[in-house]
Amino acid sequence: MAKLAILASGSGSNFEALTVALRGSCHEVCLLLCDRPGAMVLERAARLEVPARLISYKGRPKNEAESELAELLEENGADLIALAGFMRLLGPELVRRFRGRLVNIHPSLLPAWPGTHSIERAFAAGDNELGVTVHLVDEGMDTGPILAQARVPRQGDLAATEAAIHATEHLLYSDVIINLLNNIAEKTC
Ligand code: GRF
């Protein structure tokens, strides 16, 4: 068994997909860390009975918040850390401490469209082929080594394209994360 911690700021549909997928394996989501009070991901964690902690970044230096975050990851025995819509760039110290164990999902075919609003920007630019990337986290914004990508064809409108991309994210992220956890645990389950 290996343990996954998830960092998220918003709706948490990837958090939910990962949690449900891991329940069909021998691995577990040991912790959700969220930086936004009231985020929907906290409601999902309560419903799915995943331990959750709010990390406040307000009114204190970023590296203090990140030390708290790092300590919680270690105390909870996280083997792997999945960013799932965590809307902050991790500081270099945190990246160094967990290098190779931090994974992110991004809704574009990186290196195209890094940063925010990627789907809207790709759609507005007329891209016919959009997609999803899972990558290791480094010090940059959506720049780390790519682990997997999936292509998603443009749909009739933006909302349908976003829905197709999110559905693809849920499948691809679960697949990649379970493979990484299997490698960490040195067994397939
Ligand atoms: C996803 O599109 C993910 O790729 C990006 O942020 C979004 C999070 O969505 N990094 P959700 O909170 O998992 O629903």
Side-chain angles (χ1 to χ4, degrees), residues 3 83 118 160 167 171:
K3 291 185 177 184
L83 275 59
S118 305
L171 296 175

Side-chain angles (χ1 to χ4, degrees), residues 29-49:
V29 179
C30 62
L31 182 65
L32 166 75
L33 294 176
C34 176
D35 63 328
R36 292 211 180 146
M40 201 207 286
V41 69
L42 291 167
E43 287 168 35
R44 293 189 200 250
R47 174 167 45 81
L48 293 163
E49 297 179 344

